[in-house]
Amino acid sequence: MLKNIRVIPLYDPFMLLQMLRSILTNVQEKTEDFYSTLKLVIFDNFSFLLSQILDGYTTQGMVMYSQIEKTIKYIANIHNIAVVIANRSLPIPNTSDINTFKYNRLGFHWNNVASTRIALERESP
């Protein structure tokens, strides 16, 4: 069972984009058995990777952000692979009740990317 699991450490958005393109190429060409049976890709701490390029001052960050977004959607939609992205949500500032509305840490641009959202919360002890 563990042969069906791979952990790939990523430290910057360039590595992320390279890994996504590698998955796409390998799934299309079916170079390994691993990729021919690939059904799920999970990203943890995704906002950390993208926060490095989304500084708000350059358009290069938004271009790379867009490439990452489109590649993830292509992998999910065309090749029918589920993509799970762990992302923190933050309360909207200046609201009286912090539990009423939340926005994701990746910003409002990310709202158009995800097709399904699941919110998990831990209650205080």
Side-chain angles (χ1 to χ4, degrees):
M1 185 62 144
L2 289 178
K3 69 179 178 139
N4 295 330
I5 298 173
R6 289 192 184 171
V7 177
I8 303 170
L10 302 171
Y11 302 106
D12 63 51
F14 302 101
M15 290 174 71
L16 171 63
L17 190 56
Q18 180 182 4
M19 187 271 310
L20 287 170
R21 289 179 177 160
S22 171
I23 287 175
L24 187 57
T25 301
N26 287 319
V27 166
Q28 289 172 338
E29 296 176 0
K30 296 182 172 71
T31 54
E32 296 179 41
D33 290 337
F34 176 80
Y35 292 103
S36 64
T37 60
L38 185 63
K39 300 291 179 206
L40 174 67
V41 177
I42 300 174
F43 294 101
D44 188 21
N45 209 358
F46 201 71
S47 58
F48 169 74
L49 288 171
L50 292 187
S51 67
Q52 298 175 38
I53 58 172
L54 295 176
D55 58 5
Y57 299 107
T58 63
T59 57
Q60 294 169 339
M62 283 305 292
V63 169
M64 179 169 256
Y65 178 87
S66 178
Q67 289 176 343
I68 290 169
E69 167 200 340
K70 287 177 182 175
T71 307
I72 288 172
K73 280 186 152 186
Y74 189 82
I75 289 170
N77 293 334
I78 301 301
H79 296 289
N80 205 20
I81 296 172
V83 179
V84 176
I85 297 174
N87 183 25
R88 296 189 184 271
S89 8
L90 303 169
I92 293 179
N94 303 323
T95 57
S96 58
D97 183 11
I98 63 169
N99 293 320
T100 53
F101 299 103
K102 295 188 179 204
Y103 70 96
N104 65 52
R105 196 169 186 179
L106 291 171
F108 293 108
H109 297 292
W110 194 257
N111 289 339
N112 298 326
V113 177
S115 59
T116 304
R117 290 177 183 77
I118 300 173
L120 303 176
E121 289 187 37
R122 180 175 21 175
E123 292 184 17
S124 301

